[in-house]
Amino acid sequence: MAKIAGVIVAAGRGTRAPGSAVPKQFRPISGEMVLRRCLTTFAGCGLVQALQPVIRAGDEALFREAAAGLSVNAPVAGGDTRQASVHAGLEALAGEPPDIVLIHDAARPFASPALIARAIEATAATGAAIPGLAVTDTIKGIDSHGFVGETLDRARLRAVQTPQAFAFAPILEAHRRAAREGRSDFTDDAAIAEWVGMQVRVFDGESSNIKITHPEDFVRAEAMQLSHLSDVRTGTGIDVHAFGSGDHVMIGGLRIAHDQALTGHSDADVGLHALTDAILGALADGDIGSHFPPSDPQWKGAASDRFLRFACERVAARGGRIAHLDLTIVCEAPKIGPHRDAIRETVARIAGLEIDRVAVKATTSEQLGFTGRREGIAAYATATVRLPWS
Ligand code: MG
């Protein structure tokens, strides 16, 4: 089977939109970095065995955030031009050369697995293939004074995109030759392939495969991202733990001093347990007990942040995002109110969310029932999760 690799070009200085301190490939769209969206698609599509990111020196910390948990090669530093950056990425793959390489701009975060599959298939014919879209606007050639010189036949025009796919050895050699001959003016890799005489095939691109170029493109990208995550689900979780002897309770990952402790197999964090079940509920993916059986001694005394982190990873693995977590604690004591924001911060940190997506509320049960008799603490949680509609 042919070995397929990808080069993801993320070395541009990008559009620094007003109010944004980072290049566009590291800016979020609906909470997810542009580059991360790209890497996730290529790493998760099951078609690409090695993924080589190219970044600008100095962007390492941003890259680590974008690639966290994803299976990609260590990034290499790009050059002064896109062409030089692609060349650096190809050289990084040359040690274990693939048969086919897909070269993709990080600024196109919506390339689909189907497009990647078409690119690979189309390459087989000529060793070079690029996605293109028919042009719907009439295109005019103009002179240096702004007057129309000619009207081009749009039936023969294509607006081309990435990923551009090539047999690896010839495109690497073409890039090496361009570098040797001091050519640095190629704006895409197909142009280099054409220059060395490769026949480049055009296959169907995707209109949704937009290139984020101008600040207003982020508005469109946000809308596209949200329409992609259109399967909005709500899950609930309930947990109770009884008081026993001790000097503190764990609630929402926060240690709160108290004249009793909560008893349980793990650290008995009712808040995190309810939140974990709420997220698993939204995924229709079992409950905390089915994933972490109390009969299993390895969870004895376990810190419960791992349970919540696990549920969040299940959301990420489905390509989804957590939109909101809401937790209510029911007890007479300890007083939760003074710790509310600290609990929000802890939950947000564990779940990797902004704090304004985490609500924590507290109430007593007016001295009624088991919580009213101070026999234990109850927690109720709701999770709103967005998944790709599949
Ligand atoms: Mg529990």
Side-chain angles (χ1 to χ4, degrees), residues 94-114:
E96 289 178 63
D99 300 301
I100 291 171
V101 63
L102 306 178
I103 300 169
H104 186 65
D105 291 329
R108 293 186 188 270
F110 297 114
S112 74

Side-chain angles (χ1 to χ4, degrees), residues 114-115 118-119 122 130-134 158 161 201-206:
L115 183 69
R118 282 208 297 283
I130 61 176
L133 288 180
R158 294 292 180 273
Q161 310 177 324
R201 181 161 166 224
V202 179
F203 61 95
D204 285 342
E206 283 175 341

Side-chain angles (χ1 to χ4, degrees), residues 238-241 263-266 268-274 277 288 304:
I238 298 175
D239 196 40
V240 172
H241 281 270
T263 61
H265 193 67
S266 65
D269 189 324
V270 281
L272 293 188
H273 293 182
D277 262 356
I288 193 170
S304 295

Side-chain angles (χ1 to χ4, degrees), residues 63-215:
F63 174 81
R64 276 195 295 279
E65 193 184 329
L70 298 173
S71 175
V72 304
N73 292 359
V76 290
D80 289 338
T81 60
R82 182 188 178 282
Q83 183 187 328
S85 294
V86 171
H87 188 190
L90 294 173
E91 293 290 356
L93 289 170
E96 289 178 63
D99 300 301
I100 291 171
V101 63
L102 306 178
I103 300 169
H104 186 65
D105 291 329
R108 293 186 188 270
F110 297 114
S112 74
L115 183 69
I116 294 168
R118 282 208 297 283
I120 294 165
E121 197 190 324
T123 317
T126 65
I130 61 176
L133 288 180
V135 176
T136 50
D137 295 325
T138 295
I139 309 285
K140 306 281 189 187
I142 58 170
D143 65 19
S144 57
H145 304 289
F147 291 102
V148 172
E150 58 179 328
T151 297
L152 300 166
D153 176 9
R154 72 178 179 196
R156 299 185 61 238
L157 296 174
R158 294 292 180 273
V160 306
Q161 310 177 324
T162 66
Q164 301 192 346
F166 305 92
F168 181 75
I171 196 67
L172 173 62
E173 185 44 45
H175 266 276
R176 284 177 175 170
R177 187 177 145 196
R180 268 199 312 272
E181 297 187 16
R183 292 287 306 266
S184 58
D185 53 332
F186 295 107
T187 56
D188 75 348
D189 302 288
I192 296 181
E194 295 153 31
W195 176 64
V196 298
M198 291 172 78
Q199 205 185 3
V200 181
R201 181 161 166 224
V202 179
F203 61 95
D204 285 342
E206 283 175 341
S207 58
S208 56
N209 182 23
I210 63 167
K211 184 177 184 181
I212 296 178
T213 308
H214 305 293

